[in-house]
Structures are given as structure tokens and as C-alpha cells.
DNA sequence: GATCACCTACCCTCCACAAC
DNA sequence: GTTGTGGAGGGTAGGTGATC
């Protein structure tokens, strides 16, 4: 039995030497295999070339074999007559034109009319500067904002999925990943009414192919006969929130096995098991057709934990996480996942929300306590505990990528990739507080009611969106609000154009404020020198007056000193008065009064501070 | 009643991108 | 290169309830 190190090494070597075109096909084939493994606990392995699905092997000019032959011919031509044939390597390096790069994309694989001459010459020097997923060639925020997943509200059907932007991802397997992702994006995002302009197969045909191939593989294994049963039970997003989602959502989950949606793709990126022996609670074989997405994710997270313990070596019976770094996010914009920042980690918000604790709205906790008779201990303590957990989680999330909370962005995107956003979003049965219920029933939007209402919705929606919902998701939630609660179909602010705009703005502000708190960590750990806005205002109303005992006359110097001293006081928190102000007042006195003899200044924090130079 | 903390709403600025 | 647009963050006034 090979250990993980050898497997990884061999796999890396294999991937590094495979032809990019072959690699894209291999990854798609691997997609199916990993999906089978995730769902059924084992792969339907095939060790013969003929088991490669016909559509993956392609035909005519897209047939990999013919490509290889063609490529070999080109190579031989290049070798035999270096002057007559254009060196492909130079083509790649010198002419990274969009059209030619596009040919390397998987979209062109469906086109089946690609130019074989567009491949790099050498298998040993894989093309690195192609743009398999050009949207990722941006800074991360840009990635989040402008990636196809993020901007689904602005589908660009006519836009080729391979642009001329250069992506410097130096990992070939990552390259293949993005190529596959691009392929899936193409399938999922193209307008069905428009079809695939640049391909000869329709989206429906593509999806049917996915469905057929997976079903064929499954039937071949004799595991699953009823696709609908297996799919619904395997990836049921209903489990994500313990709520009954609309039938439309169920239908979406049904598609999971019909096409390798983001669920499988993302899970497969992160999860890999070694060994076949059982591990209590972590046995891959436990992933059955009855497994829920949470169970799968739990196992996935277990693998993360294993990997974090440093036990990267293979141990029989243990779950091993491949540490290939394929999915790490880097500044090149190659999106990926960090085991530390997965939203569904042990302190995940979903678990928190699953706990039957009413929505924590601190200001109106009386209402909460009334509705929480089951756990009647200390309502405030429970609330504080709940919120503390929530913010502990957020803090983890914030720190998941160093000092910035960029991790939250990646989090949001990865979460949005894993969990399908319900459409429409179910808002009926959320645990609203009493005032929120009152607002819902009466249609009278009060501040306390709105706060409870928003907090409840935020706590639910964040499970699907993370802290950075897409604009479309906000709109969907706003729509859900006005449709679910007709009495709330009103503008919360007269300045808004419509109720949708109004709720959308409110949601945006809510998210922004939550992120702000996350960024500042103000809930349970205020900075030592934190000065609340109220204190600042109080300071303004209680300006200190600085006087110098030795200079009682109203000279311009004295006035200048007092003004600057007051400004100085306003800029500093109270607990810094004794040191910082003392030091700066020394400087100030020296500068404004021209008196360098003042060494002992008695600083008092009363509104009027007497400064007695020289200890007089 | 004063003080304080929390929260929302609003304003402003910055940034990235697209269009011109 | 300039301009327009949208999203995000920061600042903060004001409302509200909790606490002393």
C-alpha cells in the first residue's frame, strides 16, 4: 500500500507531465470520480482507456488521441524542420492573443473545432501563462466582486470565458482546476435561450451528458438506481438550516447528481481520504447516498483538523487531507480555501444558529427572555454566551487570513459555492423576537422590531452568504421580505425608491455594520484605548481648560497654548491623559511660551487643569 | 436622572471596473 | 486618460434600552 507521500509525489509528477489538453479532460473525468467517491464512498474505478466517457474522449478533431497524434506530428515537424514550422513555444510566449489562448480553455473543448497548433510544444514545459479563469487574475476583493459567481446578476453570455488577461498560476493542477471551473461556469451561467454560441453542443445536451455519464457510472456500480432519491438525500440543502425549503430548492439539489455542481467541485477540492479502514465517525465509507451535506462536511472538516495536527503522513485508518496547496488563495487571485477559515468549522455559525436560542438582540432582550422559557436560566447570560460564540467565530474568521479579514471574503465566496442560496429565501419560520413578530403582524415598522427582524434575518442569511452577500442575494432577501410579509412591503425610509430598495439598503447597512464590528472586534474585546462615540461627544461638551499658573495674563501665546491644549485633549482618550498629554504639553509649553524651564507640570484630569511650571 | 453601550441610518471617501 | 458607477469602509449623529 502506497503511503500518501508517494501518492502525492506521483500524482504531482503525473500532472506535471501531462499535456494541458489531456489534463483538462482528466480533471473533468476526475470530477465524476470524486463525486462518486463523495456520495457513495467509493469510486467506480476504470483502468482502461475505453472507460473514459465518449464525450470526454471527444471525437473528430477534439479526440485526445488525435490531438496527441497531431501534437506529436507537430513536434516531429518542429524537430525535423525547425525553420519551416512556427515554433509553438514562441507562439505561446510571443503571441498570447486572447483568441489563441481561448483555445486552451475547456470551452473550446466543447467546441471540438479547436486549433491543434495552439498547444505548447513540450509536455515538459506546460503553458503557465494562459488564462483559464481570467476573473481570478485580480486582487482578491476584485475576485470576489467580479468573479462570475459573484456577479451572476450580470451574466455576460457573449463574453468569452477565456480572456486575454494573463494569470500566473504556477501550479498546473490549479490550472486544470480553473479550466474545469471555467467549463462549469460556462454551463451554469450561460443563458439557456442563447445557447453556447461558440460550441456545437447545447447546454442541455451538456447537462444531459453529465447526468448520463454519472448515472451510467452509478448504475454500473449497482449502488444507486434511482437518481432522484440519491440526489435528494445526498445533498439536501434543507439540512443546512433545518427548514423546509421550497420545492424549487429541492429541485436544485436534485440537479446535483445531474451535473457536478459547486458542491461536489468544492468538496472535492478539499477532501481526500487515504486508507480504507474504518475510523469511528470518520470513515469515508460512511458517506453514503443517505449522507447529508453536513455529514460530508463534518468529515471534511475532520480531515482539516487532521491535517492541522501536522500528521501529514499517512496512517492507516486516518483521514488524510491532501496538502497540495492547489486551492490556496494567493495574490495572483487564484481562489481557494484555507482549512482555517471554512465557515463550517467547529464554531461555525450554522451550528450556533441550530441551537435553539432566540435571536440575540441585546437591547431588547426582555422580549427574548420571554420567548425562551425552556432555557430559563439567565437570559442575558445565554444571550451573551450566544453572541460571544458568534463573535468568537467571526474573530476566527477574521484571523483566518492573517491580520486582514480578507478571509471573510473568501469565506463568503466559498460558502456561497458550497451552499446553494435558497430561492426564494425562506423567512417564515425564523425565530423572530416578540417585537419583530409584532412588526410583522401589524406592519408598523418600529426600531426595536426592525432590529430584531434584521438580526434574525442576518443570522439566517449569513449561513448561506457569509459576510459578503452578493447584490443579487441581497435583492433576493429583500424580495423574500416583502413577499413573505406583505405588510412589510413598504418603504422603511421615505427617501428610498421602493420597498425593495429600502430593505436592500437596510440589509446592506446591516451587513456593513456587522462587518464593522467584526473588524473592530467591539463586541467582547474593546481596545484598551477605545473611546466610545458618546465619550467623544462628552469630551466635546466638557472641554478642559488649560492654564499656566505662572502666566495668568491673556497673551496671544497663552490663547494659542490653551486652544492647542484643548485640541490635544480631544484627540486623546482619558487613560492617556497623564502620560501623553503630559509629554505633549511640555512640548507645547516650550513652543508656545518659549519657556524651556517648565519641567514639572502637574497634570490633572479635571475640566480645569492647572499647570504649575517649576512645581510652583 | 445621568451615564453608558449598542445599533441604525446617513454621509463621505476610496477603490476597481467599465464605458467612452 | 477621463468619467461614471457600484460597492465597501470609516465616521458619526441620534434613538433606544440598560445600568448605576
Amino acid at each position: 500500500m502506497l503511503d500518501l507521500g508517494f501518492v502525492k509525489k506521483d500524482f504531482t509528477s503525473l500532472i506535471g507531465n501531462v499535456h494541458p489538453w489531456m489534463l483538462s479532460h482528466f480533471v473533468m473525468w476526475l470530477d465524476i470520480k470524486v463525486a462518486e467517491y463523495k456520495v457513495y464512498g467509493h469510486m467506480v474505478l476504470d483502468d482502461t482507456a475505453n472507460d473514459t466517457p465518449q464525450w470526454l474522449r471527444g471525437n473528430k478533431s477534439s479526440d485526445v488521441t488525435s490531438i496527441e497524434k497531431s501534437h506529436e506530428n507537430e513536434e516531429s515537424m518542429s524537430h525535423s524542420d525547425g525553420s519551416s514550422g512556427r515554433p509553438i513555444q514562441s507562439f505561446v510566449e510571443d503571441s498570447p492573443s486572447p483568441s489563441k489562448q481561448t483555445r486552451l480553455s475547456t470551452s473550446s473543448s466543447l467546441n471540438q473545432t479547436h486549433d491543434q497548433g495552439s498547444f505548447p510544444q513540450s509536455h515538459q514545459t506546460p503553458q503557465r501563462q494562459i488564462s483559464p479563469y481570467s476573473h481570478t487574475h485580480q486582487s482578491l476583493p476584485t475576485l470576489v466582486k467580479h468573479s462570475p459567481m459573484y456577479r451572476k446578476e450580470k451574466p455576460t453570455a457573449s463574453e468569452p470565458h477565456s480572456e486575454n488577461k494573463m494569470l500566473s498560476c504556477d501550479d498546473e493542477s490549479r490550472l486544470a482546476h480553473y479550466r474545469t471551473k471555467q467549463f462549469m461556469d460556462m454551463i451554469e451561467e450561460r443563458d439557456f435561450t442563447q445557447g453556447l454560441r461558440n460550441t456545437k453542443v447545447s447546454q442541455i445536451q451538456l447537462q444531459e451528458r453529465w447526468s448520463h455519464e454519472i448515472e451510467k457510472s452509478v448504475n454500473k456500480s449497482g449502488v444507486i438506481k434511482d437518481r432522484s432519491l440519491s440526489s435528494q438525500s445526498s445533498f439536501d440543502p434543507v439540512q443546512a438550516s433545518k427548514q423546509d425549503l421550497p420545492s424549487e430548492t429541492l429541485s436544485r439539489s436534485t440537479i446535483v447528481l445531474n451535473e457536478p455542481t459547486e458542491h461536489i467541485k468544492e468538496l472535492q477540492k478539499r477532501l481526500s481520504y487515504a486508507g480504507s479502514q474504518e475510523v469511528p465517525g470518520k470513515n469515508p465509507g460512511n458517506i453514503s447516498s443517505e449522507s447529508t451535506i453536513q455529514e460530508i462536511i463534518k468529515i471534511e472538516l475532520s480531515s482539516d483538523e487532521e491535517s492541522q495536527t501536522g500528521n501529514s503522513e499517512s496512517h492507516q485508518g486516518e483521514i488524510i487531507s491532501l496538502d497540495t496547496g492547489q486551492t490556496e488563495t494567493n495574490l495572483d487571485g487564484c481562489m481557494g480555501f484555507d482549512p482555517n477559515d471554512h465557515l463550517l468549522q467547529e464554531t461555525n455559525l450554522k451550528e450556533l444558529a441550530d441551537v435553539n436560542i432566540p435571536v440575540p438582540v441585546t437591547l431588547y432582550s426582555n422580549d427574548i427572555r420571554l420567548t425562551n422559557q425552556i432555557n430559563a436560566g439567565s437570559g442575558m447570560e445565554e444571550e451573551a454566551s450566544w453572541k460571544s460564540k458568534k463573535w468568537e467565530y467571526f474573530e476566527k474568521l477574521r484571523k483566518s487570513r492573517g491580520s486582514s479579514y480578507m478571509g471573510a471574503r473568501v469565506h463568503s465566496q466559498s460558502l456561497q459555492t458550497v451552499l446553494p442560496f435558497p430561492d426564494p429565501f425562506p423567512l417564515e419560520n425564523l425565530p423572530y423576537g416578540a417585537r419583530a413578530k409584532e412588526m410583522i403582524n401589524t406592519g408598523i415598522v418600529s426600531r426595536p422590531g426592525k432590529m430584531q427582524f434584521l438580526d434574525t434575518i442576518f443570522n439566517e442569511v449569513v449561513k448561506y452568504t457569509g459576510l459578503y452577500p452578493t447584490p443579487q442575494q441581497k435583492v433576493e432577501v429583500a424580495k423574500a421580505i416583502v413577499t413573505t410579509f406583505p405588510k412589510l412591503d413598504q418603504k422603511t425610509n421615505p427617501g428610498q425608491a421602493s420597498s425593495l430598495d429600502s430593505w436592500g439598503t437596510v440589509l446592506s447597512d446591516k451587513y456593513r455594520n456587522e462587518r464593522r464590528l467584526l473588524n473592530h472586534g467591539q463586541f467582547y474585546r474593546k481596545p484598551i484605548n477605545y473611546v466610545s462615540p458618546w465619550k467623544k461627544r462628552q469630551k466635546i461638551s466638557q472641554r478642559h481648560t488649560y492654564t499656566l499658573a505662572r502666566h495668568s495674563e491673556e497673551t496671544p501665546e497663552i490663547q494659542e497654548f490653551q486652544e492647542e491644549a484643548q485640541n490635544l485633549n480631544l484627540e486623546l482618550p482619558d487613560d492617556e491623559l497623564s502620560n501623553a498629554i503630559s509629554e505633549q504639553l511640555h512640548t507645547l509649553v516650550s513652543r508656545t511660551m518659549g519657556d524651556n524651564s517648565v519641567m514639572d507640570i502637574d497634570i490633572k484630569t479635571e475640566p480645569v487643569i492647572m499647570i504649575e511650571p517649576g512645581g510652583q
Side-chain angles (χ1 to χ4, degrees):
Chain A
M1 182 69 71
L2 293 175
D3 88 19
L4 179 62
F6 282 104
V7 172
K8 290 164 68 176
K9 183 180 178 181
D10 289 345
F11 184 81
T12 303
S13 174
L14 179 68
I15 297 302
N17 287 284
V18 74
H19 192 289
W21 172 259
M22 186 79 76
L23 186 58
S24 69
H25 284 71
F26 170 73
V27 170
M28 284 185 279
W29 173 85
L30 190 62
D31 236 344
I32 297 175
K33 296 302 159 188
V34 174
E36 292 166 352
Y37 187 76
K38 298 290 170 51
V39 176
Y40 309 119
H42 64 89
M43 292 183 180
V44 185
L45 293 174
D46 45 35
D47 55 0
T48 62
N50 289 338
D51 278 342
T52 303
Q54 178 66 31
W55 68 276
L56 276 184
R57 281 186 280 135
N59 52 43
K60 299 178 183 177
S61 61
S62 69
D63 191 304
V64 176
T65 305
S66 64
I67 291 170
E68 289 299 304
K69 288 181 180 177
S70 171
H71 180 68
E72 289 171 0
N73 291 338
E74 289 171 5
E75 279 189 330
S76 62
M77 287 177 63
S78 174
H79 287 304
S80 61
D81 185 5
S83 59
S84 60
R86 185 186 178 208
I88 301 176
Q89 187 68 30
S90 64
F91 159 75
V92 171
E93 292 176 349
D94 298 338
S95 307
S97 66
S99 60
K100 291 179 180 177
Q101 287 175 15
T102 302
R103 292 170 183 158
L104 286 177
S105 70
T106 51
S107 60
S108 65
S109 71
L110 299 171
N111 193 341
Q112 300 182 354
T113 57
H114 57 273
D115 183 358
Q116 299 167 11
S118 63
F119 296 114
Q121 182 178 9
S122 171
H123 292 194
Q124 302 298 331
T125 55
Q127 171 60 277
R128 293 175 184 270
Q129 287 190 319
I130 62 177
S131 175
Y133 197 56
S134 62
H135 287 282
T136 63
H137 181 59
Q138 299 170 33
S139 63
L140 188 56
T142 305
L143 161 74
V144 176
K145 288 168 60 177
H146 302 287
S147 68
M149 282 186 293
Y150 186 87
R151 304 193 89 175
K152 285 188 177 179
E153 72 279 9
K154 291 183 178 180
T156 54
S158 60
E159 175 183 325
H161 276 256
S162 291
E163 290 95 351
N164 55 354
K165 293 180 179 178
M166 307 298 287
L167 176 61
S168 175
C169 291
D170 56 359
D171 188 326
E172 288 305 314
S173 55
R174 187 179 305 180
L175 189 67
H177 161 70
Y178 286 112
R179 188 175 288 122
T180 307
K181 185 174 182 56
Q182 178 189 18
F183 164 70
M184 291 313 304
D185 287 343
M186 179 187 67
I187 293 178
E188 294 175 0
E189 294 191 11
R190 295 252 177 173
D191 186 345
F192 271 68
T193 61
Q194 295 183 10
L196 299 175
R197 294 178 180 177
N198 299 324
T199 64
K200 293 181 178 178
V201 289
S202 70
Q203 297 173 11
I204 295 176
Q205 284 175 314
L206 288 171
Q207 293 196 349
E208 286 176 347
R209 283 180 176 180
W210 271 106
S211 174
H212 175 71
E213 292 303 328
I214 293 179
E215 189 171 10
K216 192 172 73 175
S217 297
V218 171
N219 288 338
K220 186 177 175 181
S221 70
V223 176
I224 295 294
K225 298 293 183 184
D226 186 336
R227 187 201 317 164
S228 62
L229 286 177
S230 63
S231 59
Q232 288 188 17
S233 59
S234 299
F235 293 98
D236 190 354
V238 175
Q239 297 290 336
S241 62
K242 288 186 176 181
Q243 294 181 50
D244 294 331
L245 297 187
S247 56
E248 291 180 25
T249 307
L250 287 177
S251 66
R252 289 178 62 174
S253 67
T254 306
I255 297 173
V256 166
L257 276 189
N258 295 348
E259 55 177 325
T261 62
E262 302 297 337
H263 292 74
I264 297 177
K265 287 194 298 177
E266 301 305 333
L267 287 174
Q268 85 173 49
K269 284 187 294 188
R270 306 196 55 210
L271 181 60
S272 179
Y273 300 106
S276 57
Q277 296 187 0
E278 287 192 3
V279 176
K282 296 181 179 180
N283 178 24
N286 289 340
I287 303 177
S288 66
S289 60
E290 298 302 321
S291 299
T292 65
I293 189 169
Q294 289 112 317
E295 290 169 340
I296 296 173
I297 290 173
K298 280 180 181 176
I299 297 174
E300 173 191 12
L301 294 175
S302 299
S303 71
D304 286 341
E305 293 170 2
E306 292 288 339
S307 66
Q308 291 176 34
T309 61
N311 297 329
S312 58
E313 293 300 317
S314 173
H315 300 288
Q316 280 193 333
E318 289 187 2
I319 301 169
I320 302 300
S321 171
L322 274 181
D323 185 21
T324 62
Q326 291 182 25
T327 55
E328 277 296 315
T329 302
N330 57 30
L331 294 179
D332 290 334
C334 298
M335 190 210 58
F337 303 92
D338 184 342
N340 294 324
D341 71 13
H342 199 287
L343 183 60
L344 301 170
Q345 224 164 359
E346 57 179 355
T347 58
N348 71 75
L349 195 59
K350 199 153 63 59
E351 283 183 7
L352 295 175
D354 286 344
V355 177
N356 188 23
I357 298 176
V359 183
V361 182
T362 306
L363 298 183
Y364 310 103
S365 57
N366 285 338
D367 297 331
I368 301 300
R369 273 175 269 181
L370 290 175
T371 59
N372 188 25
Q373 298 296 334
I374 299 176
N375 303 318
S378 168
M380 290 301 293
E381 288 178 5
E382 289 170 1
E383 177 189 319
S385 174
W386 194 98
K387 208 160 189 177
S388 177
K389 284 183 179 178
K390 174 181 173 181
W391 282 101
E392 281 176 10
Y393 160 72
F394 280 159
E395 186 75 1
K396 271 193 173 182
L397 189 153
R398 184 176 69 86
K399 291 178 177 177
S400 62
R401 291 206 178 270
S403 57
S404 72
Y405 56 115
M406 189 71 75
R409 291 178 180 270
V410 179
H411 241 267
S412 291
Q413 193 181 34
S414 62
L415 184 64
Q416 290 165 25
T417 303
V418 174
L419 285 179
F421 193 75
D423 181 20
F425 197 90
L427 296 176
E428 307 98 302
N429 301 320
L430 300 183
Y432 297 107
R435 301 208 183 188
K437 288 178 181 175
E438 181 182 351
M439 186 184 81
I440 291 169
N441 292 330
T442 63
I444 301 173
V445 179
S446 63
R447 182 182 170 92
K450 193 159 82 170
M451 288 172 67
Q452 284 189 343
F453 186 68
L454 283 176
D455 218 27
T456 308
I457 290 178
F458 169 79
N459 289 336
E460 181 66 21
V461 177
V462 76
K463 288 185 279 184
Y464 295 88
T465 65
L467 289 171
Y468 290 85
T470 66
Q472 183 62 31
Q473 286 170 335
K474 291 177 193 171
V475 170
E476 291 300 325
V477 175
K479 282 181 182 175
I481 290 174
V482 300
T483 55
T484 306
F485 310 112
K487 290 188 176 180
L488 298 183
D489 188 4
Q490 55 179 291
K491 291 185 284 186
T492 58
N493 187 316
Q496 299 292 339
S498 66
S499 58
L500 276 182
D501 288 342
S502 182
W503 285 111
T505 302
V506 166
L507 286 169
S508 293
D509 282 334
K510 177 65 177 176
Y511 268 91
R512 181 173 303 156
N513 286 322
E514 293 284 347
R515 287 194 299 263
R516 188 201 316 242
L517 291 175
L518 165 64
N519 192 20
H520 294 168
Q522 290 184 356
F523 170 64
Y524 62 93
R525 194 181 304 132
K526 282 186 168 55
I528 296 174
N529 297 327
Y530 172 73
V531 181
S532 68
W534 188 91
K535 278 187 177 179
K536 290 178 181 175
R537 289 198 293 272
Q538 287 301 107
K539 279 190 168 185
I540 293 175
S541 63
Q542 298 177 7
R543 289 194 168 193
H544 296 260
T545 301
Y546 297 91
T547 58
L548 297 175
R550 213 172 64 178
H551 304 276
S552 55
E553 66 276 15
E554 282 292 324
T555 64
E557 291 79 11
I558 288 293
Q559 291 179 2
E560 181 186 358
F561 164 79
Q562 289 186 346
E563 288 176 3
E564 293 202 25
Q566 288 172 9
N567 293 333
L568 186 65
N569 183 41
L570 292 175
E571 294 171 358
L572 293 171
D574 290 337
D575 52 4
E576 288 188 358
L577 281 175
S578 58
N579 295 324
I581 285 188
S582 173
E583 180 179 343
Q584 296 193 45
L585 283 181
H586 270 97
T587 305
L588 185 60
V589 168
S590 299
R591 181 162 56 83
T592 57
M593 308 301 295
D595 186 353
N596 294 323
S597 65
V598 284
M599 299 301 295
D600 297 323
I601 301 177
D602 184 19
I603 303 297
K604 297 179 181 177
T605 55
E606 286 82 6
V608 178
I609 298 179
M610 299 298 293
I611 302 175
E612 298 180 0
Q616 297 178 5

